[in-house]
Amino acid sequence: MNDLLQLKGTFEKRGNSSRFGPRNIPINGVVSIEHLEKLLSELIHISIYWKGKDLIPGILLSIEYNRIVAKSNRVKGFLAGTGIDPNDSIVGARFTFVEEPRHIITHFINVNILSETITSLTNVVSIAKQKFSDTNIITHDNITDIHKKWITSTVISKSHFIDYIVDSYYVDSFYVDDRADIPQENSIVTIYYTNTDTMELMKKLGINISKGNMIEGDNTTISLSKDQLFLLKEKAPYLISMAVTDITKLTIDDFEKVEKRPYITIPDPTTEPIIGVIDTMFCKDVYFSKWVESKNMLDPNIPLADEDYIHGTSVSSIIVDGPSINPDLDDGCGRFRVRHFGVASGNRFSSFSVLKNIQQIVASNRDIKVWNLSLGSILETNKNSISPEAAILDKIQYDNDVIFIVAGTNKNSTDIGEKRIGAPADSINSLVVNAVDANGNPASYTRVGPVLSFFNKPDVSCFGGDTGHKIKVYTPMGEQYTDGTSYAAPWIARKMAYLIHKLGLSREIAKALLIDAASGWSKNKYRHTQIGYGIVPKNINDIIRSNDDEIKFILSGTSEKYVSYNYNIPIPTDGAQCPYVARATLCYFPFCLRNQGVDYTTTEFNLKFGRIKRVKDKNDNYKEKIESINDDIQDDSDSHVNEETARKYYRKWDNIKHIIEFFKEKKRPKKVYPNKMWGISITSKERIGEKYGQGVNFGIVVTVKEIKGVNRIEDFIQQSMLKGWLVNRINIQERLNIYNIAEEEVSFEDVNK
């Protein structure tokens, strides 16, 4: 097998030189005067609705678009003021489904902005009636003519008039969203951001809360009792952005006793890496207790029963000594120490309490890079909002160099049909793990994605046991058989910790390696929503190393400008032929905003990888471009890709980009272009004005397969070095030796001697 290669070199950077042309509606599009009048009427009704309401220093209104709308097609005339970009007033976004999904975007604006918008739209309607009364519609050609020669007007400018017409083409309606579908019990509630202190706002409504009802660093998410929630809904329903029940119920695992083995032994821990576990309690009366440092994070007045120790102890047993308990599942990763935090008891707990505990735990344990979280709700995630639990995990991972491995949650035996995954398995930055049975089929308890009607979850799958072939764990009662995603996730946590701690790889590269290895070269027979990108190989060698006919290499970088690129990757040729298929995986950890709803991730990194092709641009000038292996034409100056297509085919706004050419036995070699190099580029885009993507690290794993079965890795290494790349072989034994030496304790007495 071939070693994994690390290529170190320079990514060139450049800003965005492209400029949008004049605004217009699509060629076959029309905007009717009747539709303009409808929108004006709706805005007037919204103005009446808000009269006399002074609870907040402004107003909230929602815009329902007629499609999933790109940032460039959101309103620019409506809700704009002098020096004010309507995008900056967005406080929420969700989807509604009328045949096809549509965006609903909520804004918080000054009341004067609404008055100015009504005045401007009134003028637009008046001019439209005067100039287009013969057809009562405005077309693409009409707007083109207006660009050339403006209709003389003293009440509105040409650009302002066009902005209103183009906005109206994409906008279906305006309204105040006071129809919040919220639980009727103790809940975690997120209110829209209104530039108001939340505690003072609640006090005005007669709802008394303290800092204990709030999450640190989040001024809009609060814990409310059933009665407090009822009061909020009665007095100010328009404030409610989203709400979820605070009481989380866990699925109950079935355990079967195992015939008792002779006394089990384990050596004392030394310098093994530490994995953090956040779960139910840990029992200290087990054979591997020296390997686990445990802490009870619950109120000491909460009574604990024997069953409160089963789930947490069994999860940690896999992380510490999984291969000894399950020899047939030996992953080659050895043993790991565990720092175990008990945050829940039984199968019912407060999500709000767990949220606050997780923040405190990670902040106090900076040395831990990999965290295992096998707690999950039986409730389905909301299609339009990320759970508070997932949002906390995503923020922690953006702010810190850590990664959470999260169980994909289970169906109960009584559940009929498909069931969406539960919190916190909707965390975008985390690596979410579903379970498969011994034959590689989705387990009977499998729950499905996607998240926010778009993001691929789960990410990967792993054996987690099922009827007829369960997984063995160690509980306070000894060895037992069980199954569930709770016991699939720890196997992935072990691999992640091995890659990060023992091999010294970044979390971005480690995550990409697991996804790359899971995907393989052939299409999965199961949907991504069930198994993610595929089943992670059992043994760590099959993740790190590649077959003799494959070259696998990793690249790292940091986003600083619009495009980061390198056009000097020398994939070896065979004369005039390029006999390869390829796949590439990009991973990064973006900043996320829960109050943006379905537009949750703020930064988009788009990946292109492929041969360098010389083409003519629209001005007949030659230029070189990447012919990406997934035929990605986004960002090409002579191409246009609408938002729906960009999301569906190129995974726009997803923080994992996995592009692949599937291998077929009769696959023919590609032709070699005059420039024999391959190129790779990462294009960065932002949803909002603030550039959250600057300084974000990314990791890329590329695997190329020689379709004739020839091993060309030595040629690749030699040619890469000639092109200025520093090439390192990731040799497992050498890396382990380095790790062991680095972890040795040095005695200063011995040094002085």
Side-chain angles (χ1 to χ4, degrees), residues 561-605:
K561 291 189 177 181
Y562 179 63
V563 180
S564 302
Y565 65 95
N566 190 295
Y567 285 5
N568 280 305
I569 301 176
I571 306 298
T573 59
D574 181 14
Q577 295 184 333
C578 187
Y580 298 98
V581 290
R583 64 179 190 244
T585 304
L586 164 73
C587 289
Y588 63 103
F589 292 75
F591 184 73
C592 301
L593 285 170
R594 185 168 182 261
N595 63 12
Q596 294 294 300
V598 294
D599 293 343
Y600 179 61
T601 52
T602 61
T603 301
E604 152 74 357
F605 286 177

Side-chain angles (χ1 to χ4, degrees), residues 330-353:
D330 189 354
D331 54 12
C333 295
R335 294 186 175 95
F336 294 87
R337 291 179 288 164
V338 167
R339 202 170 295 161
H340 186 117
F341 299 89
V343 298
S345 60
N347 70 325
R348 186 179 175 91
F349 58 90
S350 164
S351 294
F352 193 78
S353 297

Side-chain angles (χ1 to χ4, degrees), residues 677-726:
M677 295 298 103
W678 288 48
I680 195 161
S681 71
I682 299 91
T683 305
S684 172
K685 298 173 184 174
E686 302 285 350
R687 281 195 205 269
I688 56 182
E690 192 161 350
K691 296 189 180 301
Y692 286 109
Q694 284 191 351
V696 170
N697 297 328
F698 57 81
I700 303 169
V701 175
V702 174
T703 307
V704 294
K705 183 180 182 66
E706 221 278 5
I707 60 178
K708 298 178 181 179
V710 180
N711 189 343
R712 300 185 187 274
I713 192 168
E714 297 301 333
D715 288 345
F716 176 73
I717 293 172
Q718 181 186 39
Q719 292 177 32
S720 295
M721 294 174 70
L722 288 172
K723 285 295 179 180
W725 292 99
L726 177 63

Side-chain angles (χ1 to χ4, degrees), residues 467-566:
T467 304
H469 190 164
K470 299 202 171 190
I471 199 166
K472 196 186 294 183
V473 297
Y474 202 91
T475 76
M477 288 77 73
E479 287 183 307
Q480 293 191 307
Y481 283 118
T482 189
D483 54 30
T485 57
S486 289
Y487 312 107
W491 292 101
I492 303 301
R494 288 169 52 83
K495 292 177 174 65
M496 182 66 73
Y498 187 96
L499 295 171
I500 292 174
H501 290 288
K502 293 191 176 184
L503 298 190
L505 303 176
S506 70
R507 61 174 181 165
E508 291 82 9
I509 289 294
K511 184 176 181 180
L513 277 169
L514 291 169
I515 291 169
D516 170 84
S519 73
W521 290 110
S522 57
K523 289 185 179 180
N524 291 310
K525 60 180 178 179
Y526 297 107
R527 305 195 313 274
H528 275 64
T529 56
Q530 294 176 293
I531 65 166
Y533 290 98
I535 303 168
V536 177
K538 179 175 65 175
N539 195 280
I540 193 69
N541 279 289
D542 296 324
I543 296 166
I544 298 299
R545 309 192 73 194
S546 59
N547 293 331
D548 289 342
D549 60 352
E550 295 175 353
I551 303 169
K552 182 184 290 190
F553 59 92
I554 57 177
L555 300 157
S556 298
T558 303
S559 174
E560 295 170 359
K561 291 189 177 181
Y562 179 63
V563 180
S564 302
Y565 65 95
N566 190 295

Side-chain angles (χ1 to χ4, degrees), residues 53-231:
K53 292 183 173 68
D54 58 359
L55 180 66
I56 54 177
I59 65 171
L60 291 157
L61 65 81
S62 295
I63 304 174
E64 181 172 332
Y65 290 88
N66 55 23
R67 65 194 66 199
I68 295 176
V69 67
K71 179 182 176 181
S72 58
N73 290 326
R74 292 177 181 176
V75 295
K76 289 182 172 59
F78 289 108
L79 313 186
T82 304
I84 297 174
D85 183 346
N87 274 318
D88 294 337
S89 65
I90 295 174
V91 293
R94 61 188 178 90
F95 289 143
T96 186
F97 294 88
V98 182
E99 294 182 356
E100 295 294 329
R102 296 178 170 191
H103 254 126
I104 297 177
I105 296 178
T106 302
H107 296 253
F108 175 65
I109 60 172
N110 186 288
V111 66
N112 295 329
I113 295 294
L114 178 60
S115 298
E116 292 172 16
T117 297
I118 290 172
T119 300
S120 294
L121 184 55
T122 301
N123 291 329
V124 168
V125 171
S126 176
I127 293 172
K129 283 183 174 180
Q130 292 173 29
K131 302 299 181 181
F132 304 103
S133 59
D134 54 336
T135 60
N136 286 323
I137 60 171
I138 301 171
T139 67
H140 173 93
D141 290 342
N142 293 146
I143 297 175
T144 300
D145 291 339
I146 292 171
H147 276 297
K148 295 176 181 177
K149 185 177 181 181
W150 172 227
I151 304 165
T152 303
S153 172
T154 59
V155 294
I156 193 167
S157 68
K158 174 176 70 173
S159 61
H160 212 183
F161 180 86
I162 291 172
D163 278 340
Y164 270 80
I165 299 301
V166 176
D167 286 354
S168 299
Y169 174 79
Y170 294 102
V171 172
D172 182 79
S173 60
F174 295 99
Y175 60 90
V176 177
D177 189 359
D178 58 1
R179 304 164 291 176
D181 180 19
I182 60 176
Q184 302 297 316
E185 54 187 318
N186 296 358
S187 296
I188 302 172
V189 179
T190 298
I191 61 174
Y192 287 116
Y193 175 77
T194 59
N195 199 27
T196 309
D197 181 80
T198 299
M199 291 177 65
E200 288 297 319
L201 188 58
M202 292 298 107
K203 190 175 180 180
K204 289 181 182 179
L205 294 169
I207 301 171
N208 293 315
I209 61 173
S210 65
K211 287 186 178 179
N213 293 84
M214 304 184 70
I215 296 172
E216 185 178 348
D218 186 346
N219 188 44
T220 59
T221 299
I222 52 180
S223 173
L224 295 180
S225 68
K226 178 181 178 180
D227 293 339
Q228 289 173 324
L229 184 56
F230 177 79
L231 197 58

